[in-house]
Amino acid sequence: MTEAEIRRIVAETVDQTLTRLGVDTEDPLEFQRDLQHLREWRKSVATVKRQSLVTAVGVITIGILGLIWLAIKGS
């Protein structure tokens, strides 16, 4: 088997595998844009999770400080 035949077999195998995974091998730039969109989506979800955690901690902290203030004011 020559190197050219091996390269052809590998290229066909990779092409078939990517096609079965739903990747349009005729337009690799479109696939790259899809992956970029997924990366941006993942980062935005992580940002929302982080902001939600910061907000929850802030609300709990303010609630506890409010209770302490009411306890001090009421005594």
Side-chain angles (χ1 to χ4, degrees):
M1 194 175 274
T2 67
E3 183 178 339
E5 291 174 328
I6 293 172
R7 287 183 183 274
R8 182 186 53 78
I9 291 170
V10 169
E12 288 177 5
T13 303
V14 169
D15 187 55
Q16 289 175 359
T17 302
L18 291 174
T19 300
R20 287 182 181 167
L21 291 172
V23 176
D24 182 9
T25 57
E26 298 298 319
D27 190 6
L29 292 178
E30 185 70 20
F31 182 63
Q32 290 175 2
R33 286 190 291 270
D34 289 344
L35 290 178
Q36 179 64 32
H37 175 74
L38 288 174
R39 179 180 295 120
E40 290 170 1
W41 182 262
R42 177 182 50 82
K43 287 182 177 182
S44 68
V45 167
T47 300
V48 168
K49 284 182 181 180
R50 187 174 52 250
Q51 292 293 344
S52 298
L53 179 62
V54 168
T55 301
V57 169
V59 167
I60 291 169
T61 303
I62 289 173
I64 291 171
L65 291 174
L67 286 173
I68 293 171
W69 182 71
L70 285 173
I72 292 173
K73 184 180 175 184
S75 32

